[in-house]
Amino acid sequence: MSKVTMTVNGTERSGEVEGRTLLVHFLRDQLGLTGTHVGCDTSQCGACVVHVNGAAVKACTMFAAEAEGAEVATIEGQANSDGSLNTIQQAFQDHHGLQCGFCTPGMVMSAAALLKDNPKPTEAEVRHYLEGNLCRCTGYHNIVKAIMAASGQDVGAIAAE
Ligand code: FES
Ligand code: FES
């Protein structure tokens, strides 16, 4: 076991980890940040997406020890400071971008990373970016719509499926 320290949602957090401990398990099991989900064991589903030093990362593909000294952001840190939903979260609610919600934290974190790099993505760019995030409920359409809306674009032209 060795000590690892990282900044998570703006607060310095430490814990004891094994070399094999994955970042997603450190966040969930040691820090209690269970909004980051585990939906597969093949690194395919994207339910575990967090930001590490500003970049979207599947937290099941990274050892906790590798995040030593990093700035980590999870879904728990995404709301506005007054506790209200941020723009992306609100858009998911407004455009029915979720059903069971299992994929949603990863979707929101991926969307945030996309919009940071590409503030006005096309529908095709959103769909391409979400290739690493699986949703078994929504058919993706309303997720894409929510992300387009969160970017401030008119989604009226995106026909309902
Ligand atoms: Fe990380 Fe599925 S739990 S990609
Ligand atoms: Fe159920 Fe996406 S809303 S998996």
Side-chain angles (χ1 to χ4, degrees):
M1 300 283 269
S2 58
K3 186 179 178 189
V4 65
T5 301
M6 62 192 80
T7 302
V8 182
N9 299 329
T11 303
E12 189 172 291
R13 305 292 298 267
S14 296
E16 294 286 327
V17 296
E18 295 182 51
R20 63 178 179 170
T21 304
L22 297 173
L23 178 60
V24 69
H25 291 138
F26 176 71
L27 294 170
R28 288 178 54 85
D29 302 340
Q30 291 202 36
L31 302 188
L33 297 171
T34 54
T36 302
H37 291 162
V38 178
C40 71
D41 56 12
T42 51
S43 304
Q44 285 178 314
C45 76
C48 63
V49 171
V50 299
H51 297 176
V52 177
N53 294 329
V57 169
K58 289 180 174 176
C60 71
T61 64
M62 186 172 178
F63 294 118
E66 293 180 286
E68 170 68 31
E71 294 273 344
V72 178
T74 73
I75 191 67
E76 286 86 352
Q78 295 299 295
N80 297 320
S81 54
D82 65 358
S84 61
L85 299 179
N86 76 9
T87 304
I88 296 171
Q89 293 170 315
Q90 188 63 54
F92 269 69
Q93 184 179 77
D94 293 345
H95 295 277
H96 308 288
L98 66 149
Q99 289 181 25
C100 82
F102 193 85
C103 71
T104 312
M107 289 288 184
V108 168
M109 297 307 289
S110 288
L114 167 64
L115 296 184
K116 184 159 69 72
D117 291 343
N118 183 359
K120 299 280 183 207
T122 64
E123 182 180 347
E125 286 172 335
V126 174
R127 289 185 184 276
H128 180 71
Y129 194 86
L130 293 183
E131 276 182 359
N133 292 76
L134 302 182
C135 175
R136 63 192 166 186
C137 303
T138 64
Y140 301 98
H141 189 72
N142 287 345
I143 292 174
V144 174
K145 205 169 177 179
I147 295 170
M148 298 287 289
S151 73
Q153 301 186 83
D154 179 11
V155 293
I158 301 178
E161 281 188 340

